[in-house]
Amino acid sequence: MLKFSTNPNKVVQLDNKKEVFVFDSEDDNLDQVTVDSFGEEWSKFNYFDSGEIEKIGNEYFDIIDFSKFNKDATVLDVGCGTGRWSVYLSSKVSNIYAMDPSKAIYSAANLTNDIPNIHLIKASVENIPYEDNTFDLVISLGVLHHIPDTQKALNSIVKKVKKEGHCLIYLYYALDNRSVAYKMIFYASSFFRYFISKLPSFLKKSTCDIIAILVYMPFIYLSKLVKLLFGRKWGSKIPLSYYSNKSFNVIRNDALDRFGTPLEQRFSKAQIEEMMRKSGLKDITFSEKQPYWHVIGRK
Ligand SMILES: C[S@@+](CC[C@H](N)C(=O)[O-])C[C@H]1O[C@@H](n2cnc3c(N)ncnc32)[C@H](O)[C@@H]1O
């Protein structure tokens, strides 16, 4: 286990083998309503099938060549949620420090229970309890766009990357590679998100389930049909085609993520590249594949 730079406020020993190190300092770069909403979300979706973790993980990590990656590497997973990407990495690297400020960290304890090289930390992005220049790889997938000041948060995580180490992030894209029609459908959905994200927890979850069935599924079937009739290229132009090979569990989870989260920002490739350079990263490489945009940089 790595040494902490500050002492935890407490250590929670769970019924299973895991313990959670809790760092509850104030963080002004955190949207509490959003964090609480994720705490709820991840206690509902606290299980992911290992086959699906591997399949979707291969999409996020396609820009890392693990055959060249050092097995002794130490990884920090910022905003880990259920810890599914820490699970993905657990057989590929030495130790993973999975960190989240919400009660999701206790859901992560379930998913990572049998995996001794995953360590659980309850802390937020501005309070990472490790010295600077510590980690070979820092990942933050689907997190920084839910934080008020994304650049500041990125600067904070890049500080923890060792010199020559890497940082992999996934940020919601600004639809910069999409047609006007696609953007219009998408922005119409954002109108609904504004209201749905404000509903009480039970109503929010139920509404998002209905959206998964009545909106996601028809688009997914349409994209499958278009793929069948006109080929993959045209099928992938249909909104939500990304989900055509995903389980219903993942679709429900992402519908809740998309419509239930109060704070969400979107970034173009150019904006992401600029933020990464400002944070001290170079050799910035975007994956051209979905999910957009996931990108890696070297410190
Ligand atoms: C969409 S979830 C992604 C979870 C995980 N990375 C995944 O892809 O499964 C976003 C996560 O970011 C966390 N988060 C929100 N604000 C944060 C902050 N200021 N610092 C660290 N994590 C934060 C939330 O608690 C939530 O678990």
Side-chain angles (χ1 to χ4, degrees), residues 27-32 34-39 41-42 48 60 77-85 99-105 123-128 139-148 153 157 170 172 253-254 257 261 263:
D27 182 349
D28 56 5
N29 197 14
L30 174 148
D31 186 70
Q32 195 58 52
T34 297
V35 168
D36 292 345
S37 169
F38 277 118
E41 175 178 333
W42 293 125
F48 290 91
Y60 280 107
D77 179 357
V78 178
C80 65
T82 53
R84 55 186 167 163
W85 309 132
M99 198 190 99
D100 202 287
S102 76
K103 66 178 183 188
I105 200 72
S124 68
V125 72
E126 304 295 342
N127 293 315
I128 301 173
I139 66 164
S140 191
L141 303 181
V143 177
L144 302 178
H145 46 233
H146 296 303
I147 294 182
I157 70 172
Y170 159 57
Y172 283 163
N253 177 203
D254 281 12
D257 219 77
T261 309
L263 175 66

